[in-house]
PDB file of all heavy atoms in Angstrom:
ATOM      1  N   ARG A 194      96.698  96.212 108.758  1.00  0.00           N
ATOM      2  CA  ARG A 194      95.821  95.608 109.765  1.00  0.00           C
ATOM      3  C   ARG A 194      95.290  96.608 110.781  1.00  0.00           C
ATOM      4  O   ARG A 194      94.219  96.431 111.316  1.00  0.00           O
ATOM      5  CB  ARG A 194      96.539  94.475 110.480  1.00  0.00           C
ATOM      6  CG  ARG A 194      96.671  93.243 109.607  1.00  0.00           C
ATOM      7  CD  ARG A 194      97.392  92.165 110.321  1.00  0.00           C
ATOM      8  NE  ARG A 194      98.815  92.388 110.024  1.00  0.00           N
ATOM      9  CZ  ARG A 194      99.813  91.936 110.743  1.00  0.00           C
ATOM     10  NH1 ARG A 194      99.578  91.246 111.820  1.00  0.00           N
ATOM     11  NH2 ARG A 194     101.053  92.169 110.416  1.00  0.00           N
ATOM     12  N   LYS A 195      96.030  97.667 111.048  1.00  0.00           N
ATOM     13  CA  LYS A 195      95.585  98.632 112.041  1.00  0.00           C
ATOM     14  C   LYS A 195      94.700  99.724 111.435  1.00  0.00           C
ATOM     15  O   LYS A 195      94.206 100.572 112.154  1.00  0.00           O
ATOM     16  CB  LYS A 195      96.773  99.247 112.761  1.00  0.00           C
ATOM     17  CG  LYS A 195      97.508  98.217 113.614  1.00  0.00           C
ATOM     18  CD  LYS A 195      98.569  98.837 114.452  1.00  0.00           C
ATOM     19  CE  LYS A 195      99.250  97.747 115.290  1.00  0.00           C
ATOM     20  NZ  LYS A 195     100.180  98.280 116.233  1.00  0.00           N
ATOM     21  N   ALA A 196      94.499  99.675 110.132  1.00  0.00           N
ATOM     22  CA  ALA A 196      93.589 100.622 109.492  1.00  0.00           C
ATOM     23  C   ALA A 196      92.166 100.263 109.910  1.00  0.00           C
ATOM     24  O   ALA A 196      91.861  99.106 110.222  1.00  0.00           O
ATOM     25  CB  ALA A 196      93.723 100.556 107.984  1.00  0.00           C
ATOM     26  N   HIS A 197      91.284 101.256 109.902  1.00  0.00           N
ATOM     27  CA  HIS A 197      89.922 101.024 110.379  1.00  0.00           C
ATOM     28  C   HIS A 197      89.183  99.960 109.574  1.00  0.00           C
ATOM     29  O   HIS A 197      88.311  99.291 110.084  1.00  0.00           O
ATOM     30  CB  HIS A 197      89.126 102.337 110.389  1.00  0.00           C
ATOM     31  CG  HIS A 197      88.785 102.846 109.032  1.00  0.00           C
ATOM     32  ND1 HIS A 197      89.714 103.465 108.225  1.00  0.00           N
ATOM     33  CD2 HIS A 197      87.637 102.805 108.341  1.00  0.00           C
ATOM     34  CE1 HIS A 197      89.138 103.792 107.086  1.00  0.00           C
ATOM     35  NE2 HIS A 197      87.882 103.410 107.128  1.00  0.00           N
ATOM     36  N   ASP A 198      89.519  99.807 108.298  1.00  0.00           N
ATOM     37  CA  ASP A 198      88.832  98.812 107.476  1.00  0.00           C
ATOM     38  C   ASP A 198      89.755  97.680 107.025  1.00  0.00           C
ATOM     39  O   ASP A 198      89.376  96.840 106.230  1.00  0.00           O
ATOM     40  CB  ASP A 198      88.187  99.470 106.268  1.00  0.00           C
ATOM     41  CG  ASP A 198      89.162 100.334 105.504  1.00  0.00           C
ATOM     42  OD1 ASP A 198      90.362 100.325 105.855  1.00  0.00           O
ATOM     43  OD2 ASP A 198      88.737 101.024 104.571  1.00  0.00           O
ATOM     44  N   GLN A 199      90.984  97.660 107.486  1.00  0.00           N
ATOM     45  CA  GLN A 199      91.974  96.621 107.213  1.00  0.00           C
ATOM     46  C   GLN A 199      92.250  96.413 105.733  1.00  0.00           C
ATOM     47  O   GLN A 199      92.592  95.322 105.299  1.00  0.00           O
ATOM     48  CB  GLN A 199      91.556  95.294 107.858  1.00  0.00           C
ATOM     49  CG  GLN A 199      91.506  95.355 109.352  1.00  0.00           C
ATOM     50  CD  GLN A 199      91.182  94.015 109.965  1.00  0.00           C
ATOM     51  OE1 GLN A 199      90.902  93.047 109.278  1.00  0.00           O
ATOM     52  NE2 GLN A 199      91.228  93.952 111.279  1.00  0.00           N
ATOM     53  N   ILE A 200      92.106  97.482 104.937  1.00  0.00           N
ATOM     54  CA  ILE A 200      92.399  97.326 103.518  1.00  0.00           C
ATOM     55  C   ILE A 200      93.891  97.447 103.279  1.00  0.00           C
ATOM     56  O   ILE A 200      94.657  97.846 104.155  1.00  0.00           O
ATOM     57  CB  ILE A 200      91.621  98.344 102.663  1.00  0.00           C
ATOM     58  CG1 ILE A 200      92.022  99.767 103.018  1.00  0.00           C
ATOM     59  CG2 ILE A 200      90.145  98.140 102.806  1.00  0.00           C
ATOM     60  CD1 ILE A 200      91.420 100.785 102.087  1.00  0.00           C
ATOM     61  N   GLY A 201      94.306  97.148 102.099  1.00  0.00           N
ATOM     62  CA  GLY A 201      95.709  97.227 101.747  1.00  0.00           C
ATOM     63  C   GLY A 201      95.865  97.626 100.306  1.00  0.00           C
ATOM     64  O   GLY A 201      94.994  98.270  99.734  1.00  0.00           O
ATOM     65  N   ARG A 202      96.972  97.214  99.733  1.00  0.00           N
ATOM     66  CA  ARG A 202      97.202  97.514  98.329  1.00  0.00           C
ATOM     67  C   ARG A 202      98.109  96.468  97.727  1.00  0.00           C
ATOM     68  O   ARG A 202      98.826  95.759  98.429  1.00  0.00           O
ATOM     69  CB  ARG A 202      97.800  98.903  98.148  1.00  0.00           C
ATOM     70  CG  ARG A 202      99.231  99.028  98.608  1.00  0.00           C
ATOM     71  CD  ARG A 202      99.704 100.467  98.472  1.00  0.00           C
ATOM     72  NE  ARG A 202     101.133 100.557  98.684  1.00  0.00           N
ATOM     73  CZ  ARG A 202     101.995 101.022  97.807  1.00  0.00           C
ATOM     74  NH1 ARG A 202     101.568 101.452  96.641  1.00  0.00           N
ATOM     75  NH2 ARG A 202     103.277 101.064  98.078  1.00  0.00           N
ATOM     76  N   ALA A 203      98.066  96.393  96.439  1.00  0.00           N
ATOM     77  CA  ALA A 203      98.968  95.535  95.683  1.00  0.00           C
ATOM     78  C   ALA A 203      99.651  96.437  94.662  1.00  0.00           C
ATOM     79  O   ALA A 203      99.046  97.387  94.170  1.00  0.00           O
ATOM     80  CB  ALA A 203      98.200  94.420  94.986  1.00  0.00           C
ATOM     81  N   TYR A 204     100.909  96.159  94.383  1.00  0.00           N
ATOM     82  CA  TYR A 204     101.612  96.966  93.403  1.00  0.00           C
ATOM     83  C   TYR A 204     102.705  96.150  92.735  1.00  0.00           C
ATOM     84  O   TYR A 204     103.126  95.107  93.235  1.00  0.00           O
ATOM     85  CB  TYR A 204     102.171  98.252  94.023  1.00  0.00           C
ATOM     86  CG  TYR A 204     103.081  98.054  95.209  1.00  0.00           C
ATOM     87  CD1 TYR A 204     104.463  98.134  95.069  1.00  0.00           C
ATOM     88  CD2 TYR A 204     102.579  97.818  96.475  1.00  0.00           C
ATOM     89  CE1 TYR A 204     105.307  97.971  96.155  1.00  0.00           C
ATOM     90  CE2 TYR A 204     103.406  97.664  97.568  1.00  0.00           C
ATOM     91  CZ  TYR A 204     104.779  97.737  97.400  1.00  0.00           C
ATOM     92  OH  TYR A 204     105.604  97.568  98.478  1.00  0.00           O
ATOM     93  N   ILE A 205     103.118  96.631  91.576  1.00  0.00           N
ATOM     94  CA  ILE A 205     104.149  95.967  90.784  1.00  0.00           C
ATOM     95  C   ILE A 205     105.285  96.958  90.589  1.00  0.00           C
ATOM     96  O   ILE A 205     105.052  98.128  90.285  1.00  0.00           O
ATOM     97  CB  ILE A 205     103.587  95.513  89.418  1.00  0.00           C
ATOM     98  CG1 ILE A 205     102.439  94.514  89.630  1.00  0.00           C
ATOM     99  CG2 ILE A 205     104.689  94.899  88.556  1.00  0.00           C
ATOM    100  CD1 ILE A 205     101.689  94.149  88.368  1.00  0.00           C
ATOM    101  N   THR A 206     106.508  96.478  90.760  1.00  0.00           N
ATOM    102  CA  THR A 206     107.672  97.316  90.530  1.00  0.00           C
ATOM    103  C   THR A 206     108.528  96.724  89.416  1.00  0.00           C
ATOM    104  O   THR A 206     108.568  95.512  89.223  1.00  0.00           O
ATOM    105  CB  THR A 206     108.539  97.467  91.795  1.00  0.00           C
ATOM    106  OG1 THR A 206     109.000  96.178  92.197  1.00  0.00           O
ATOM    107  CG2 THR A 206     107.763  98.114  92.927  1.00  0.00           C
ATOM    108  N   VAL A 207     109.179  97.609  88.682  1.00  0.00           N
ATOM    109  CA  VAL A 207     110.161  97.217  87.674  1.00  0.00           C
ATOM    110  C   VAL A 207     111.430  97.984  88.000  1.00  0.00           C
ATOM    111  O   VAL A 207     111.411  99.212  88.095  1.00  0.00           O
ATOM    112  CB  VAL A 207     109.679  97.548  86.242  1.00  0.00           C
ATOM    113  CG1 VAL A 207     110.755  97.192  85.224  1.00  0.00           C
ATOM    114  CG2 VAL A 207     108.388  96.827  85.922  1.00  0.00           C
ATOM    115  N   ASP A 208     112.511  97.257  88.192  1.00  0.00           N
ATOM    116  CA  ASP A 208     113.788  97.854  88.592  1.00  0.00           C
ATOM    117  C   ASP A 208     113.635  98.724  89.835  1.00  0.00           C
ATOM    118  O   ASP A 208     114.241  99.782  89.957  1.00  0.00           O
ATOM    119  CB  ASP A 208     114.391  98.674  87.454  1.00  0.00           C
ATOM    120  CG  ASP A 208     114.747  97.809  86.247  1.00  0.00           C
ATOM    121  OD1 ASP A 208     115.053  96.614  86.443  1.00  0.00           O
ATOM    122  OD2 ASP A 208     114.712  98.325  85.118  1.00  0.00           O
ATOM    123  N   GLY A 209     112.779  98.298  90.760  1.00  0.00           N
ATOM    124  CA  GLY A 209     112.586  99.001  92.014  1.00  0.00           C
ATOM    125  C   GLY A 209     111.655 100.199  91.943  1.00  0.00           C
ATOM    126  O   GLY A 209     111.370 100.820  92.951  1.00  0.00           O
ATOM    127  N   LYS A 210     111.144 100.530  90.755  1.00  0.00           N
ATOM    128  CA  LYS A 210     110.243 101.674  90.595  1.00  0.00           C
ATOM    129  C   LYS A 210     108.809 101.168  90.451  1.00  0.00           C
ATOM    130  O   LYS A 210     108.529 100.290  89.639  1.00  0.00           O
ATOM    131  CB  LYS A 210     110.634 102.486  89.365  1.00  0.00           C
ATOM    132  CG  LYS A 210     109.784 103.709  89.175  1.00  0.00           C
ATOM    133  CD  LYS A 210     110.231 104.512  87.974  1.00  0.00           C
ATOM    134  CE  LYS A 210     109.310 105.696  87.807  1.00  0.00           C
ATOM    135  NZ  LYS A 210     109.657 106.481  86.617  1.00  0.00           N
ATOM    136  N   GLU A 211     107.912 101.735  91.242  1.00  0.00           N
ATOM    137  CA  GLU A 211     106.509 101.325  91.197  1.00  0.00           C
ATOM    138  C   GLU A 211     105.883 101.768  89.874  1.00  0.00           C
ATOM    139  O   GLU A 211     105.911 102.934  89.522  1.00  0.00           O
ATOM    140  CB  GLU A 211     105.771 101.964  92.373  1.00  0.00           C
ATOM    141  CG  GLU A 211     104.380 101.447  92.553  1.00  0.00           C
ATOM    142  CD  GLU A 211     103.739 102.005  93.801  1.00  0.00           C
ATOM    143  OE1 GLU A 211     104.248 101.724  94.905  1.00  0.00           O
ATOM    144  OE2 GLU A 211     102.734 102.707  93.666  1.00  0.00           O
ATOM    145  N   VAL A 212     105.327 100.795  89.142  1.00  0.00           N
ATOM    146  CA  VAL A 212     104.724 101.111  87.845  1.00  0.00           C
ATOM    147  C   VAL A 212     103.214 100.909  87.844  1.00  0.00           C
ATOM    148  O   VAL A 212     102.505 101.530  87.049  1.00  0.00           O
ATOM    149  CB  VAL A 212     105.370 100.301  86.696  1.00  0.00           C
ATOM    150  CG1 VAL A 212     106.815 100.730  86.480  1.00  0.00           C
ATOM    151  CG2 VAL A 212     105.287  98.813  86.951  1.00  0.00           C
ATOM    152  N   ILE A 213     102.699 100.036  88.697  1.00  0.00           N
ATOM    153  CA  ILE A 213     101.261  99.808  88.805  1.00  0.00           C
ATOM    154  C   ILE A 213     100.902  99.760  90.276  1.00  0.00           C
ATOM    155  O   ILE A 213     101.524  99.042  91.056  1.00  0.00           O
ATOM    156  CB  ILE A 213     100.830  98.492  88.120  1.00  0.00           C
ATOM    157  CG1 ILE A 213     101.113  98.558  86.630  1.00  0.00           C
ATOM    158  CG2 ILE A 213      99.357  98.209  88.361  1.00  0.00           C
ATOM    159  CD1 ILE A 213     100.795  97.292  85.880  1.00  0.00           C
ATOM    160  N   ASN A 214      99.892 100.551  90.639  1.00  0.00           N
ATOM    161  CA  ASN A 214      99.435 100.607  92.019  1.00  0.00           C
ATOM    162  C   ASN A 214      97.959 100.240  92.037  1.00  0.00           C
ATOM    163  O   ASN A 214      97.158 100.893  91.376  1.00  0.00           O
ATOM    164  CB  ASN A 214      99.649 102.015  92.579  1.00  0.00           C
ATOM    165  CG  ASN A 214      99.241 102.124  94.022  1.00  0.00           C
ATOM    166  OD1 ASN A 214      98.614 101.238  94.589  1.00  0.00           O
ATOM    167  ND2 ASN A 214      99.586 103.231  94.632  1.00  0.00           N
ATOM    168  N   MET A 215      97.623  99.196  92.755  1.00  0.00           N
ATOM    169  CA  MET A 215      96.237  98.749  92.838  1.00  0.00           C
ATOM    170  C   MET A 215      95.708  99.009  94.236  1.00  0.00           C
ATOM    171  O   MET A 215      95.208  98.125  94.907  1.00  0.00           O
ATOM    172  CB  MET A 215      96.155  97.272  92.466  1.00  0.00           C
ATOM    173  CG  MET A 215      96.553  97.019  91.023  1.00  0.00           C
ATOM    174  SD  MET A 215      96.933  95.305  90.675  1.00  0.00           S
ATOM    175  CE  MET A 215      98.677  95.269  91.044  1.00  0.00           C
ATOM    176  N   CYS A 216      95.844 100.270  94.656  1.00  0.00           N
ATOM    177  CA  CYS A 216      95.418 100.687  95.982  1.00  0.00           C
ATOM    178  C   CYS A 216      93.895 100.786  96.018  1.00  0.00           C
ATOM    179  O   CYS A 216      93.285 101.466  95.192  1.00  0.00           O
ATOM    180  CB  CYS A 216      96.035 102.028  96.346  1.00  0.00           C
ATOM    181  SG  CYS A 216      95.534 102.633  97.949  1.00  0.00           S
ATOM    182  N   THR A 217      93.272 100.127  96.959  1.00  0.00           N
ATOM    183  CA  THR A 217      91.824 100.113  97.067  1.00  0.00           C
ATOM    184  C   THR A 217      91.259 101.500  97.301  1.00  0.00           C
ATOM    185  O   THR A 217      90.285 101.896  96.667  1.00  0.00           O
ATOM    186  CB  THR A 217      91.393  99.169  98.212  1.00  0.00           C
ATOM    187  OG1 THR A 217      91.981  97.891  97.987  1.00  0.00           O
ATOM    188  CG2 THR A 217      89.894  99.021  98.268  1.00  0.00           C
ATOM    189  N   ILE A 218      91.869 102.273  98.185  1.00  0.00           N
ATOM    190  CA  ILE A 218      91.357 103.607  98.490  1.00  0.00           C
ATOM    191  C   ILE A 218      91.437 104.505  97.263  1.00  0.00           C
ATOM    192  O   ILE A 218      90.485 105.212  96.938  1.00  0.00           O
ATOM    193  CB  ILE A 218      92.118 104.232  99.678  1.00  0.00           C
ATOM    194  CG1 ILE A 218      91.787 103.475 100.953  1.00  0.00           C
ATOM    195  CG2 ILE A 218      91.783 105.701  99.840  1.00  0.00           C
ATOM    196  CD1 ILE A 218      92.582 103.899 102.153  1.00  0.00           C
ATOM    197  N   LYS A 219      92.558 104.496  96.561  1.00  0.00           N
ATOM    198  CA  LYS A 219      92.709 105.328  95.371  1.00  0.00           C
ATOM    199  C   LYS A 219      91.687 104.932  94.303  1.00  0.00           C
ATOM    200  O   LYS A 219      91.138 105.777  93.617  1.00  0.00           O
ATOM    201  CB  LYS A 219      94.123 105.235  94.815  1.00  0.00           C
ATOM    202  CG  LYS A 219      95.150 105.951  95.666  1.00  0.00           C
ATOM    203  CD  LYS A 219      96.512 105.898  95.036  1.00  0.00           C
ATOM    204  CE  LYS A 219      97.528 106.620  95.892  1.00  0.00           C
ATOM    205  NZ  LYS A 219      98.852 106.632  95.284  1.00  0.00           N
ATOM    206  N   LYS A 220      91.440 103.624  94.176  1.00  0.00           N
ATOM    207  CA  LYS A 220      90.455 103.159  93.195  1.00  0.00           C
ATOM    208  C   LYS A 220      89.068 103.643  93.565  1.00  0.00           C
ATOM    209  O   LYS A 220      88.327 104.141  92.715  1.00  0.00           O
ATOM    210  CB  LYS A 220      90.464 101.636  93.096  1.00  0.00           C
ATOM    211  CG  LYS A 220      89.399 101.081  92.143  1.00  0.00           C
ATOM    212  CD  LYS A 220      89.183  99.593  92.296  1.00  0.00           C
ATOM    213  CE  LYS A 220      88.613  99.162  93.583  1.00  0.00           C
ATOM    214  NZ  LYS A 220      87.219  99.372  93.858  1.00  0.00           N
ATOM    215  N   GLU A 221      88.717 103.531  94.832  1.00  0.00           N
ATOM    216  CA  GLU A 221      87.389 103.956  95.266  1.00  0.00           C
ATOM    217  C   GLU A 221      87.194 105.460  95.084  1.00  0.00           C
ATOM    218  O   GLU A 221      86.122 105.907  94.692  1.00  0.00           O
ATOM    219  CB  GLU A 221      87.152 103.545  96.716  1.00  0.00           C
ATOM    220  CG  GLU A 221      86.979 102.048  96.875  1.00  0.00           C
ATOM    221  CD  GLU A 221      86.809 101.593  98.312  1.00  0.00           C
ATOM    222  OE1 GLU A 221      86.784 102.449  99.213  1.00  0.00           O
ATOM    223  OE2 GLU A 221      86.704 100.384  98.526  1.00  0.00           O
ATOM    224  N   ILE A 222      88.229 106.242  95.336  1.00  0.00           N
ATOM    225  CA  ILE A 222      88.151 107.691  95.121  1.00  0.00           C
ATOM    226  C   ILE A 222      87.968 107.992  93.641  1.00  0.00           C
ATOM    227  O   ILE A 222      87.156 108.844  93.263  1.00  0.00           O
ATOM    228  CB  ILE A 222      89.404 108.396  95.690  1.00  0.00           C
ATOM    229  CG1 ILE A 222      89.383 108.325  97.219  1.00  0.00           C
ATOM    230  CG2 ILE A 222      89.499 109.841  95.218  1.00  0.00           C
ATOM    231  CD1 ILE A 222      90.674 108.770  97.883  1.00  0.00           C
ATOM    232  N   ALA A 223      88.699 107.289  92.781  1.00  0.00           N
ATOM    233  CA  ALA A 223      88.575 107.498  91.342  1.00  0.00           C
ATOM    234  C   ALA A 223      87.170 107.141  90.857  1.00  0.00           C
ATOM    235  O   ALA A 223      86.582 107.855  90.039  1.00  0.00           O
ATOM    236  CB  ALA A 223      89.626 106.672  90.596  1.00  0.00           C
ATOM    237  N   VAL A 224      86.614 106.044  91.365  1.00  0.00           N
ATOM    238  CA  VAL A 224      85.257 105.643  90.979  1.00  0.00           C
ATOM    239  C   VAL A 224      84.253 106.686  91.454  1.00  0.00           C
ATOM    240  O   VAL A 224      83.346 107.080  90.706  1.00  0.00           O
ATOM    241  CB  VAL A 224      84.912 104.237  91.540  1.00  0.00           C
ATOM    242  CG1 VAL A 224      83.432 103.929  91.405  1.00  0.00           C
ATOM    243  CG2 VAL A 224      85.742 103.176  90.845  1.00  0.00           C
ATOM    244  N   LEU A 225      84.400 107.162  92.674  1.00  0.00           N
ATOM    245  CA  LEU A 225      83.501 108.181  93.209  1.00  0.00           C
ATOM    246  C   LEU A 225      83.560 109.458  92.372  1.00  0.00           C
ATOM    247  O   LEU A 225      82.526 110.029  92.024  1.00  0.00           O
ATOM    248  CB  LEU A 225      83.855 108.492  94.666  1.00  0.00           C
ATOM    249  CG  LEU A 225      83.020 109.575  95.351  1.00  0.00           C
ATOM    250  CD1 LEU A 225      81.567 109.119  95.474  1.00  0.00           C
ATOM    251  CD2 LEU A 225      83.588 109.902  96.705  1.00  0.00           C
TER     252      LEU A 225
END
Side-chain angles (χ1 to χ4, degrees):
R194 286 179 271 159
K195 293 187 179 187
H197 71 284
D198 51 6
Q199 296 184 355
I200 62 173
R202 71 184 190 121
Y204 56 101
I205 299 172
T206 61
V207 177
D208 296 331
K210 182 178 178 183
E211 189 174 297
V212 293
I213 297 177
N214 182 349
M215 296 163 271
C216 179
T217 306
I218 292 174
K219 288 183 180 182
K220 177 194 66 75
E221 289 177 2
I222 291 170
V224 168
L225 178 65

